[in-house]
């Protein structure tokens, strides 16, 4: 098990408790828990998110567009630091948002949808087709709007979420806008070890 705290300037767990943010199910695995914590810290304190999560990732970019993840695997990105700096600019200008409550039905939907995730090898943009999921099986009204964000290749929860927020090759910046949308109230997270996927 990787000690994620050694990668961050401040303990995300201590900050989460300090802000008295929503509890998460104790049965959650480490990656799901860390994505949930990072997401709510992002919404509750954009400045803390920048300083504690985005900046440590920024320092792992080379002058080229290559990025060395926290397991020391070097990955090629499309925009390099420009995409990271765009996220910093966005988060510096956005208002904080209400934190999200864990919803197990949404987590179950994300888990069921992992086999449907496709990655465009040219753009690295992740696509997820929720149309294959029967929401009624999970007690969810099919008329409500559900967004799914996907990261493939990150095996550390906070890194997966933060990299998902970096709009590398995805110029509409949809993930940033979805995550900071003031109207959202619930979230579920899924993780699959063999594909390193989060939803």
């Amino acid at each position: 098990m990787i000690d994620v705290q050694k990668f961050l300037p401040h303990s995300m767990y201590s900050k989460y408790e300090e802000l008295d943010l929503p509890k998460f199910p104790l049965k959650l695995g480490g990656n799901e828990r860390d994505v949930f914590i990072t997401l709510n810290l992002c919404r509750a304190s954009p400045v803390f998110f920048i300083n504690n999560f985005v900046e440590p990732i920024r320092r792992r970019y080379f002058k080229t567009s290559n990025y060395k993840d926290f397991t020391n695997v070097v990955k090629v990105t499309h925009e390099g630091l420009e995409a990271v700096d765009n996220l910093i600019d966005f988060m510096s200008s956005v208002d904080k948002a209400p934190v999200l409550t864990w919803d197990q039905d949404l987590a179950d939907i994300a888990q069921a949808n992992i086999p449907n995730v496709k990655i465009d090898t040219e753009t690295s943009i992740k696509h997820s087709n929720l149309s294959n999921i029967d929401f009624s099986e999970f007690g969810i009204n099919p008329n409500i709007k559900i967004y799914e964000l996907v990261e493939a290749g990150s095996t550390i929860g906070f890194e997966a979420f933060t990299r998902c927020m970096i709009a590398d090759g995805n110029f509409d910046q949809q993930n940033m806008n979805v995550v900071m949308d003031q109207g959202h109230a619930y979230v579920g997270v899924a993780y699959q070890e063999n594909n390193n996927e989060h939803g």
Side-chain angles (χ1 to χ4, degrees):
M1 185 83 152
I2 297 174
D3 177 14
V4 300
Q5 290 305 116
K6 67 183 180 182
F7 302 126
L8 302 173
H10 304 288
S11 168
M12 62 180 178
Y13 308 124
S14 297
K15 184 68 173 179
Y16 200 82
E17 288 184 12
E18 174 191 323
L19 295 176
D20 195 26
L21 298 182
K23 304 298 182 198
F24 47 83
L26 295 178
K27 66 177 183 177
L28 281 188
N31 284 303
E32 291 95 334
R33 177 200 63 211
D34 287 356
V35 168
F36 179 72
I37 287 173
T38 309
L39 166 59
N40 269 334
L41 286 171
C42 174
R43 287 173 66 92
S45 181
V47 172
F48 181 80
F49 176 71
I50 292 170
N51 294 335
N52 209 58
F53 300 107
V54 183
E55 288 291 353
I57 284 178
R58 190 184 191 283
R59 290 191 287 272
R60 300 184 71 86
Y61 276 76
F62 298 94
K63 290 182 180 177
T64 63
S65 59
N66 290 354
Y67 165 75
K68 183 187 281 189
D69 72 14
F70 287 98
T71 59
N72 293 320
V73 174
V74 176
K75 300 176 179 181
V76 177
T77 69
H78 296 279
E79 300 170 57
L81 284 171
E82 182 179 353
V84 184
D85 291 340
N86 286 340
L87 174 59
I88 291 172
D89 290 344
F90 175 85
M91 294 302 297
S92 298
S93 63
V94 73
D95 292 332
K96 68 180 183 179
V99 293
L100 304 179
T101 301
W102 180 266
D103 186 284
Q104 189 58 47
D105 289 332
L106 292 177
D108 291 342
I109 289 171
Q111 188 67 49
N113 200 46
I114 283 179
N116 300 321
V117 171
K118 306 294 180 203
I119 300 173
D120 186 321
T121 54
E122 289 188 12
T123 65
S124 295
I125 295 174
K126 296 87 177 176
H127 302 279
S128 176
N129 184 1
L130 284 171
S131 66
N132 295 325
I133 301 296
D134 180 0
F135 291 166
S136 64
E137 290 183 11
F138 300 92
I140 300 285
N141 181 339
N143 297 318
I144 68 169
K145 188 175 284 187
I146 295 180
Y147 294 95
E148 183 171 55
L149 311 181
V150 178
E151 169 60 18
S154 297
T155 58
I156 298 173
F158 80 82
E159 181 182 32
F161 173 78
T162 306
R163 298 262 308 140
C164 192
M165 287 284 283
I166 297 170
D168 184 54
N170 189 356
F171 300 107
D172 66 5
Q173 299 184 343
Q174 180 181 4
N175 287 3
M176 298 182 199
N177 291 303
V178 167
V179 166
M180 296 307 294
D181 190 308
Q182 298 282 330
H184 298 320
Y186 301 97
V187 67
V189 178
Y191 174 77
Q192 185 163 302
E193 184 71 31
N194 60 345
N195 290 323
N196 302 326
E197 292 172 355
H198 296 260

